[in-house]
């Protein structure tokens, strides 16, 4: 059973939340957003998702996009910081990501918050898509555009409100 919900922002339709049972519709949905096959895509994930599910997602994304890279960081809240964001920026620069390219946040709230913040700030803002994989991130953190990282021991001290282009859940 598929379900689609449109999220409005400041009175206008802003992005869709798709609730699916697999990744079959993902490429088509990215195409609908206007992304051609030569857009570069960076899938950002953590070490647990990397081992469990990244291959399956990469396979679907690579079936349409020609330039797909991934960036993985160790799982855990303690990695949700500016140092991890810096490493992600470097990865994007090394792979020549420009304003037209896209980040996919593939993971729980830690991955989503950090990727959203990197998307909001890299080149003053590039598109990002949320693929939330924990219950918390599916019902809460992937929706609403709150992005950010922790600083020292202070939670969510630096961030931005930045909306995703799509939220795609594979239950
Ligand atoms: N932006 C917001 O509005 C908002 C709202 C609430 C919480 N948050 C943030 O969300 C974060 C917490 O999110 P969380 O609870 O998802 O934590 P998390 O992202 O750390 O994920 C919890 C653990 O589950 C693992 N995991 C993720 N998906 C999995 C899967 N499909 N199968 C097996 N393991 C999986 C992760 O690797 C991690 O070890 C906090 O940083 C919090 O500040 C943000």
């Amino acid at each position: 059973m598929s379900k689609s919900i449109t999220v409005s922002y400041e009175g206008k339709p802003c992005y869709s939340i798709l609730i699916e049972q697999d990744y079959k519709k993902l490429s088509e949905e990215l195409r609908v957003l206007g992304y051609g096959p030569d857009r570069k895509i960076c899938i950002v994930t953590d070490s647990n998702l990397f081992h469990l599910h990244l291959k399956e997602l990469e396979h679907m994304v690579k079936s349409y996009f020609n330039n797909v890279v991934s960036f993985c960081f160790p799982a855990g809240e303690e990695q949700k910081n500016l140092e991890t964001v810096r490493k992600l920026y470097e990865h994007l620069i090394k792979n020549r990501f420009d304003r037209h390219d896209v980040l996919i946040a593939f993971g729980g709230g830690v991955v989503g918050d950090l990727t959203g913040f990197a998307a909001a700030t890299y080149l003053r803002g590039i598109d990002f898509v949320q693929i939330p994989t924990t219950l918390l991130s599916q019902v809460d953190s992937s929706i609403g555009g709150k992005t950010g990282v922790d600083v020292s021991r202070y939670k969510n001290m630096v961030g931005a409100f930045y909306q995703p282009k799509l939220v795609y859940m594979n239950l």
Side-chain angles (χ1 to χ4, degrees), residues 17-19 23 49 104-109 111-112 129-143 166-171:
I17 300 170
L18 298 184
I19 302 169
Y23 293 119
L49 269 299
I104 294 179
F106 181 50
V111 169
V129 168
Q130 290 265 21
I131 303 185
T133 62
T134 61
L135 182 61
L136 181 142
S137 58
Q138 291 176 344
V139 302
D140 189 348
S141 66
S142 66
I143 302 155
L166 171 72
V167 178
Y168 189 106
M169 298 175 197
N170 172 357
L171 297 190

mmCIF file of all heavy atoms in Angstrom, residues 17-19 23 49 104-109 111-112 129-143 166-171:
data_model
loop_
_atom_site.group_PDB
_atom_site.id
_atom_site.type_symbol
_atom_site.label_atom_id
_atom_site.label_comp_id
_atom_site.label_asym_id
_atom_site.label_seq_id
_atom_site.Cartn_x
_atom_site.Cartn_y
_atom_site.Cartn_z
ATOM 1 N N ILE A 17 5.577 13.568 1.005
ATOM 2 C CA ILE A 17 6.039 12.442 1.825
ATOM 3 C C ILE A 17 5.439 11.200 1.188
ATOM 4 O O ILE A 17 4.214 11.103 1.061
ATOM 5 C CB ILE A 17 5.520 12.553 3.268
ATOM 6 C CG1 ILE A 17 6.015 13.841 3.929
ATOM 7 C CG2 ILE A 17 5.936 11.326 4.085
ATOM 8 C CD1 ILE A 17 5.326 14.118 5.274
ATOM 9 N N LEU A 18 6.282 10.287 0.741
ATOM 10 C CA LEU A 18 5.792 9.047 0.151
ATOM 11 C C LEU A 18 6.045 7.911 1.116
ATOM 12 O O LEU A 18 7.156 7.767 1.645
ATOM 13 C CB LEU A 18 6.500 8.755 -1.167
ATOM 14 C CG LEU A 18 6.296 9.794 -2.267
ATOM 15 C CD1 LEU A 18 6.960 9.324 -3.544
ATOM 16 C CD2 LEU A 18 4.822 10.024 -2.517
ATOM 17 N N ILE A 19 5.017 7.118 1.345
ATOM 18 C CA ILE A 19 5.139 5.968 2.246
ATOM 19 C C ILE A 19 4.993 4.723 1.387
ATOM 20 O O ILE A 19 3.937 4.487 0.792
ATOM 21 C CB ILE A 19 4.070 6.031 3.354
ATOM 22 C CG1 ILE A 19 4.230 7.349 4.136
ATOM 23 C CG2 ILE A 19 4.194 4.827 4.290
ATOM 24 C CD1 ILE A 19 3.091 7.653 5.079
ATOM 25 N N TYR A 23 11.827 0.423 -2.709
ATOM 26 C CA TYR A 23 12.415 1.619 -3.330
ATOM 27 C C TYR A 23 12.048 1.763 -4.803
ATOM 28 O O TYR A 23 12.629 2.593 -5.500
ATOM 29 C CB TYR A 23 13.946 1.580 -3.193
ATOM 30 C CG TYR A 23 14.412 1.704 -1.776
ATOM 31 C CD1 TYR A 23 15.149 0.687 -1.183
ATOM 32 C CD2 TYR A 23 14.106 2.824 -1.015
ATOM 33 C CE1 TYR A 23 15.558 0.781 0.136
ATOM 34 C CE2 TYR A 23 14.504 2.926 0.303
ATOM 35 C CZ TYR A 23 15.232 1.908 0.868
ATOM 36 O OH TYR A 23 15.633 2.013 2.169
ATOM 37 N N LEU A 49 23.685 1.522 8.568
ATOM 38 C CA LEU A 49 22.923 1.464 7.314
ATOM 39 C C LEU A 49 23.818 1.033 6.155
ATOM 40 O O LEU A 49 23.375 0.344 5.235
ATOM 41 C CB LEU A 49 22.322 2.838 7.016
ATOM 42 C CG LEU A 49 20.917 3.144 7.552
ATOM 43 C CD1 LEU A 49 19.893 2.184 6.969
ATOM 44 C CD2 LEU A 49 20.863 3.117 9.049
ATOM 45 N N ILE A 104 21.203 12.828 -0.630
ATOM 46 C CA ILE A 104 20.144 11.966 -0.094
ATOM 47 C C ILE A 104 20.551 11.567 1.315
ATOM 48 O O ILE A 104 21.618 10.975 1.508
ATOM 49 C CB ILE A 104 19.943 10.704 -0.966
ATOM 50 C CG1 ILE A 104 19.421 11.086 -2.354
ATOM 51 C CG2 ILE A 104 18.976 9.732 -0.274
ATOM 52 C CD1 ILE A 104 19.205 9.897 -3.291
ATOM 53 N N ALA A 105 19.710 11.899 2.292
ATOM 54 C CA ALA A 105 19.962 11.498 3.683
ATOM 55 C C ALA A 105 19.322 10.139 3.894
ATOM 56 O O ALA A 105 18.096 10.020 3.880
ATOM 57 C CB ALA A 105 19.338 12.525 4.634
ATOM 58 N N PHE A 106 20.147 9.127 4.107
ATOM 59 C CA PHE A 106 19.647 7.754 4.239
ATOM 60 C C PHE A 106 19.986 7.246 5.633
ATOM 61 O O PHE A 106 21.107 6.775 5.874
ATOM 62 C CB PHE A 106 20.309 6.895 3.149
ATOM 63 C CG PHE A 106 19.869 5.454 3.151
ATOM 64 C CD1 PHE A 106 18.530 5.120 3.163
ATOM 65 C CD2 PHE A 106 20.805 4.426 3.114
ATOM 66 C CE1 PHE A 106 18.128 3.792 3.157
ATOM 67 C CE2 PHE A 106 20.413 3.093 3.102
ATOM 68 C CZ PHE A 106 19.069 2.777 3.129
ATOM 69 N N GLY A 107 19.042 7.376 6.563
ATOM 70 C CA GLY A 107 19.314 6.932 7.927
ATOM 71 C C GLY A 107 18.307 7.505 8.904
ATOM 72 O O GLY A 107 17.237 7.978 8.520
ATOM 73 N N GLY A 108 18.691 7.478 10.153
ATOM 74 C CA GLY A 108 17.827 7.992 11.209
ATOM 75 C C GLY A 108 17.962 9.498 11.345
ATOM 76 O O GLY A 108 18.459 10.194 10.446
ATOM 77 N N GLY A 109 17.526 10.002 12.513
ATOM 78 C CA GLY A 109 17.528 11.443 12.734
ATOM 79 C C GLY A 109 18.919 12.065 12.706
ATOM 80 O O GLY A 109 19.075 13.220 12.308
ATOM 81 N N VAL A 111 21.528 11.166 10.786
ATOM 82 C CA VAL A 111 21.907 11.341 9.374
ATOM 83 C C VAL A 111 21.067 12.463 8.742
ATOM 84 O O VAL A 111 21.587 13.331 8.033
ATOM 85 C CB VAL A 111 21.711 10.021 8.585
ATOM 86 C CG1 VAL A 111 21.849 10.255 7.089
ATOM 87 C CG2 VAL A 111 22.711 8.973 9.059
ATOM 88 N N GLY A 112 19.754 12.462 9.035
ATOM 89 C CA GLY A 112 18.871 13.460 8.424
ATOM 90 C C GLY A 112 19.215 14.879 8.852
ATOM 91 O O GLY A 112 19.296 15.783 8.021
ATOM 92 N N VAL A 129 17.120 15.183 -0.209
ATOM 93 C CA VAL A 129 15.982 14.276 -0.102
ATOM 94 C C VAL A 129 16.183 13.469 1.169
ATOM 95 O O VAL A 129 17.304 13.060 1.472
ATOM 96 C CB VAL A 129 15.952 13.345 -1.345
ATOM 97 C CG1 VAL A 129 14.990 12.192 -1.160
ATOM 98 C CG2 VAL A 129 15.595 14.158 -2.598
ATOM 99 N N GLN A 130 15.107 13.245 1.898
ATOM 100 C CA GLN A 130 15.191 12.451 3.128
ATOM 101 C C GLN A 130 14.675 11.035 2.864
ATOM 102 O O GLN A 130 13.557 10.864 2.352
ATOM 103 C CB GLN A 130 14.291 13.064 4.209
ATOM 104 C CG GLN A 130 14.762 14.379 4.770
ATOM 105 C CD GLN A 130 15.571 14.204 6.054
ATOM 106 O OE1 GLN A 130 16.115 13.127 6.345
ATOM 107 N NE2 GLN A 130 15.680 15.260 6.818
ATOM 108 N N ILE A 131 15.470 10.042 3.233
ATOM 109 C CA ILE A 131 14.977 8.658 3.269
ATOM 110 C C ILE A 131 15.158 8.174 4.712
ATOM 111 O O ILE A 131 16.196 7.604 5.071
ATOM 112 C CB ILE A 131 15.714 7.750 2.259
ATOM 113 C CG1 ILE A 131 15.571 8.337 0.845
ATOM 114 C CG2 ILE A 131 15.139 6.331 2.318
ATOM 115 C CD1 ILE A 131 16.150 7.468 -0.254
ATOM 116 N N PRO A 132 14.170 8.461 5.565
ATOM 117 C CA PRO A 132 14.315 8.146 6.988
ATOM 118 C C PRO A 132 14.134 6.652 7.253
ATOM 119 O O PRO A 132 13.220 6.031 6.712
ATOM 120 C CB PRO A 132 13.194 8.968 7.632
ATOM 121 C CG PRO A 132 12.173 9.158 6.568
ATOM 122 C CD PRO A 132 12.903 9.162 5.258
ATOM 123 N N THR A 133 14.966 6.103 8.119
ATOM 124 C CA THR A 133 14.969 4.644 8.333
ATOM 125 C C THR A 133 14.698 4.226 9.773
ATOM 126 O O THR A 133 14.741 3.034 10.072
ATOM 127 C CB THR A 133 16.330 4.054 7.904
ATOM 128 O OG1 THR A 133 17.337 4.635 8.732
ATOM 129 C CG2 THR A 133 16.626 4.317 6.443
ATOM 130 N N THR A 134 14.480 5.176 10.670
ATOM 131 C CA THR A 134 14.059 4.815 12.033
ATOM 132 C C THR A 134 12.639 5.355 12.243
ATOM 133 O O THR A 134 12.209 6.282 11.538
ATOM 134 C CB THR A 134 14.964 5.427 13.124
ATOM 135 O OG1 THR A 134 14.909 6.861 13.036
ATOM 136 C CG2 THR A 134 16.402 4.976 12.988
ATOM 137 N N LEU A 135 11.961 4.784 13.230
ATOM 138 C CA LEU A 135 10.600 5.253 13.501
ATOM 139 C C LEU A 135 10.619 6.740 13.848
ATOM 140 O O LEU A 135 9.806 7.520 13.349
ATOM 141 C CB LEU A 135 9.980 4.430 14.639
ATOM 142 C CG LEU A 135 8.534 4.797 14.996
ATOM 143 C CD1 LEU A 135 7.598 4.580 13.812
ATOM 144 C CD2 LEU A 135 8.064 3.966 16.191
ATOM 145 N N LEU A 136 11.577 7.133 14.693
ATOM 146 C CA LEU A 136 11.643 8.543 15.092
ATOM 147 C C LEU A 136 11.812 9.453 13.873
ATOM 148 O O LEU A 136 11.132 10.462 13.729
ATOM 149 C CB LEU A 136 12.790 8.774 16.085
ATOM 150 C CG LEU A 136 12.917 10.236 16.572
ATOM 151 C CD1 LEU A 136 13.286 10.286 18.042
ATOM 152 C CD2 LEU A 136 13.916 11.015 15.746
ATOM 153 N N SER A 137 12.711 9.055 12.975
ATOM 154 C CA SER A 137 12.950 9.932 11.819
ATOM 155 C C SER A 137 11.780 9.912 10.841
ATOM 156 O O SER A 137 11.519 10.899 10.155
ATOM 157 C CB SER A 137 14.263 9.564 11.115
ATOM 158 O OG SER A 137 14.253 8.221 10.678
ATOM 159 N N GLN A 138 11.033 8.806 10.801
ATOM 160 C CA GLN A 138 9.885 8.742 9.889
ATOM 161 C C GLN A 138 8.712 9.580 10.393
ATOM 162 O O GLN A 138 7.994 10.168 9.606
ATOM 163 C CB GLN A 138 9.471 7.276 9.676
ATOM 164 C CG GLN A 138 10.526 6.513 8.875
ATOM 165 C CD GLN A 138 10.229 5.041 8.723
ATOM 166 O OE1 GLN A 138 9.400 4.487 9.431
ATOM 167 N NE2 GLN A 138 10.930 4.399 7.812
ATOM 168 N N VAL A 139 8.512 9.606 11.702
ATOM 169 C CA VAL A 139 7.340 10.329 12.204
ATOM 170 C C VAL A 139 7.676 11.748 12.660
ATOM 171 O O VAL A 139 6.780 12.536 12.934
ATOM 172 C CB VAL A 139 6.645 9.584 13.377
ATOM 173 C CG1 VAL A 139 6.215 8.200 12.951
ATOM 174 C CG2 VAL A 139 7.532 9.523 14.613
ATOM 175 N N ASP A 140 8.966 12.076 12.716
ATOM 176 C CA ASP A 140 9.311 13.362 13.315
ATOM 177 C C ASP A 140 10.423 14.091 12.555
ATOM 178 O O ASP A 140 10.179 15.043 11.811
ATOM 179 C CB ASP A 140 9.708 13.137 14.788
ATOM 180 C CG ASP A 140 9.876 14.426 15.577
ATOM 181 O OD1 ASP A 140 9.905 15.500 14.953
ATOM 182 O OD2 ASP A 140 9.994 14.366 16.823
ATOM 183 N N SER A 141 11.665 13.610 12.692
ATOM 184 C CA SER A 141 12.786 14.480 12.315
ATOM 185 C C SER A 141 12.940 14.721 10.814
ATOM 186 O O SER A 141 13.556 15.708 10.413
ATOM 187 C CB SER A 141 14.093 13.930 12.893
ATOM 188 O OG SER A 141 14.424 12.696 12.319
ATOM 189 N N SER A 142 12.389 13.839 9.961
ATOM 190 C CA SER A 142 12.573 14.067 8.515
ATOM 191 C C SER A 142 11.595 15.117 7.993
ATOM 192 O O SER A 142 11.686 15.547 6.853
ATOM 193 C CB SER A 142 12.378 12.759 7.739
ATOM 194 O OG SER A 142 11.035 12.317 7.837
ATOM 195 N N ILE A 143 10.658 15.523 8.832
ATOM 196 C CA ILE A 143 9.572 16.393 8.381
ATOM 197 C C ILE A 143 9.651 17.728 9.105
ATOM 198 O O ILE A 143 9.839 17.769 10.331
ATOM 199 C CB ILE A 143 8.205 15.708 8.649
ATOM 200 C CG1 ILE A 143 8.159 14.364 7.920
ATOM 201 C CG2 ILE A 143 7.053 16.591 8.200
ATOM 202 C CD1 ILE A 143 7.211 13.371 8.550
ATOM 203 N N LEU A 166 11.870 16.013 -1.025
ATOM 204 C CA LEU A 166 11.051 14.803 -0.990
ATOM 205 C C LEU A 166 11.400 14.041 0.286
ATOM 206 O O LEU A 166 12.561 14.023 0.695
ATOM 207 C CB LEU A 166 11.393 13.938 -2.215
ATOM 208 C CG LEU A 166 10.815 12.519 -2.290
ATOM 209 C CD1 LEU A 166 9.309 12.570 -2.574
ATOM 210 C CD2 LEU A 166 11.495 11.712 -3.403
ATOM 211 N N VAL A 167 10.382 13.418 0.877
ATOM 212 C CA VAL A 167 10.644 12.458 1.953
ATOM 213 C C VAL A 167 10.098 11.115 1.470
ATOM 214 O O VAL A 167 8.914 11.011 1.136
ATOM 215 C CB VAL A 167 9.943 12.873 3.271
ATOM 216 C CG1 VAL A 167 10.190 11.825 4.360
ATOM 217 C CG2 VAL A 167 10.420 14.250 3.725
ATOM 218 N N TYR A 168 10.987 10.136 1.382
ATOM 219 C CA TYR A 168 10.591 8.822 0.845
ATOM 220 C C TYR A 168 10.853 7.773 1.918
ATOM 221 O O TYR A 168 11.991 7.561 2.329
ATOM 222 C CB TYR A 168 11.416 8.519 -0.405
ATOM 223 C CG TYR A 168 10.965 7.304 -1.194
ATOM 224 C CD1 TYR A 168 10.284 7.434 -2.405
ATOM 225 C CD2 TYR A 168 11.236 6.009 -0.743
ATOM 226 C CE1 TYR A 168 9.878 6.329 -3.137
ATOM 227 C CE2 TYR A 168 10.821 4.892 -1.462
ATOM 228 C CZ TYR A 168 10.149 5.066 -2.659
ATOM 229 O OH TYR A 168 9.749 3.963 -3.389
ATOM 230 N N MET A 169 9.776 7.134 2.356
ATOM 231 C CA MET A 169 9.929 6.100 3.395
ATOM 232 C C MET A 169 9.683 4.735 2.809
ATOM 233 O O MET A 169 8.690 4.542 2.121
ATOM 234 C CB MET A 169 8.893 6.315 4.506
ATOM 235 C CG MET A 169 9.051 7.613 5.211
ATOM 236 S SD MET A 169 7.704 7.818 6.392
ATOM 237 C CE MET A 169 7.857 9.577 6.668
ATOM 238 N N ASN A 170 10.566 3.823 3.119
ATOM 239 C CA ASN A 170 10.359 2.419 2.780
ATOM 240 C C ASN A 170 10.109 1.691 4.100
ATOM 241 O O ASN A 170 11.044 1.411 4.847
ATOM 242 C CB ASN A 170 11.601 1.876 2.057
ATOM 243 C CG ASN A 170 11.548 0.389 1.844
ATOM 244 O OD1 ASN A 170 10.613 -0.286 2.271
ATOM 245 N ND2 ASN A 170 12.579 -0.120 1.190
ATOM 246 N N LEU A 171 8.839 1.453 4.391
ATOM 247 C CA LEU A 171 8.511 0.887 5.704
ATOM 248 C C LEU A 171 9.117 -0.486 5.924
ATOM 249 O O LEU A 171 9.417 -0.891 7.041
ATOM 250 C CB LEU A 171 6.989 0.819 5.893
ATOM 251 C CG LEU A 171 6.244 2.155 5.898
ATOM 252 C CD1 LEU A 171 4.811 1.938 6.325
ATOM 253 C CD2 LEU A 171 6.916 3.175 6.798
#
